[in-house]
Amino acid sequence: MQTIKHMRSYIFFKFLAFKIKLKNQLHKSNTQLIIGQNVQIFPDLWLRLGENSILEIGNNTFIGKGCRIECSNNARLLIGNNVNLTGYDFLACMKAIEIGQDTLVGEFVSIRDSNHEYADLKIPIYSQGYVTKSISISSDVWIGRGCIILPGVTIGKHSVIGANSVINQNVDPFSVVGGIPAKLLKKIRE
């Protein structure tokens, strides 16, 4: 039991050191990093916050090993209370992403609110910029391992996203979806 306590303390102190390193960056811009109570974060979190961005992590949230969170300039990423990012998840926010409370996110999930522009055939895709659309994930959602959540999607309350699914359109509340692209598999009784 002492080993577990020691490890929790180690993670906590490593995170405090991380926060101190961020302090100067946050002070020079309007960037906000808001962290709730009893948040557990593995020390190898990869975090990038742009100027005037907001990253808010709710109470009792768990961010597992190898997660990567990027907020571009002027982006807003809100992670609710009791959210579990299991590990190796990638959240890339250029505009706005909201993850509701009590949500479970399996390993290797990608949630991105932007996509490369590609319509102009005379300009390389790399140089065309991005199209951004907000993502909203309601409360009490379970996102299976390896899913990809694309820009502009809203996922309704108490929904289940099957492993390795690609979500390119809205998911109604109380739904189970899966596939590439994801389709309705069944409704959960309300």
Side-chain angles (χ1 to χ4, degrees):
M1 191 65 162
Q2 286 184 347
T3 305
I4 292 172
K5 284 183 182 178
H6 174 72
M7 188 165 188
R8 283 186 185 158
S9 296
Y10 173 75
I11 291 169
F12 177 74
F13 287 119
K14 288 287 276 187
F15 184 66
L16 279 179
F18 166 75
K19 281 175 61 175
I20 291 167
K21 286 180 187 176
L22 266 179
K23 188 176 180 182
N24 287 339
Q25 176 189 347
L26 297 175
H27 184 68
K28 291 179 181 176
S29 69
N30 291 324
T31 301
Q32 298 178 46
L33 174 60
I34 304 161
I35 300 172
Q37 297 178 347
N38 196 31
V39 172
Q40 297 180 34
I41 299 176
F42 268 72
D44 57 349
L45 170 67
W46 194 96
L47 180 62
R48 185 180 68 126
L49 299 174
E51 288 190 27
N52 304 315
S53 64
I54 299 171
L55 171 57
E56 184 173 342
I57 302 171
N59 298 330
N60 306 310
T61 292
F62 175 84
I63 300 176
K65 183 175 177 126
C67 286
R68 181 175 177 151
I69 299 174
E70 294 185 11
C71 291
S72 297
N73 295 342
N74 305 306
R76 185 173 151 251
L77 175 55
L78 305 177
I79 301 172
N81 297 331
N82 307 311
V83 171
N84 187 333
L85 299 174
T86 305
Y88 300 99
D89 299 312
F90 188 31
L91 282 63
C93 182
M94 291 185 87
K95 184 175 185 178
I97 296 174
E98 185 170 350
I99 301 174
Q101 66 183 19
D102 304 314
T103 293
L104 302 170
V105 180
E107 304 91 345
F108 302 102
V109 169
S110 174
I111 302 172
R112 298 168 182 255
D113 69 354
S114 62
N115 209 343
H116 291 280
E117 184 64 70
Y118 57 87
D120 191 334
L121 300 178
K122 296 178 183 178
I123 301 173
I125 294 171
Y126 179 82
S127 301
Q128 291 190 42
Y130 296 92
V131 175
T132 61
K133 295 180 184 174
S134 300
I135 293 174
S136 177
I137 300 170
S138 298
S139 63
D140 193 26
V141 171
W142 175 19
I143 301 172
R145 184 181 209 265
C147 290
I148 299 171
I149 312 297
L150 294 174
V153 168
T154 296
I155 299 175
K157 178 180 180 175
H158 199 87
S159 293
V160 177
I161 312 300
N164 298 311
S165 296
V166 175
I167 307 301
N168 64 353
Q169 54 190 309
N170 294 344
V171 175
D172 290 334
F174 306 101
S175 299
V176 178
V177 300
I180 303 173
K183 293 181 173 42
L184 178 66
L185 301 176
K186 70 177 183 178
K187 291 295 280 183
I188 302 169
R189 287 181 164 192
E190 295 184 46

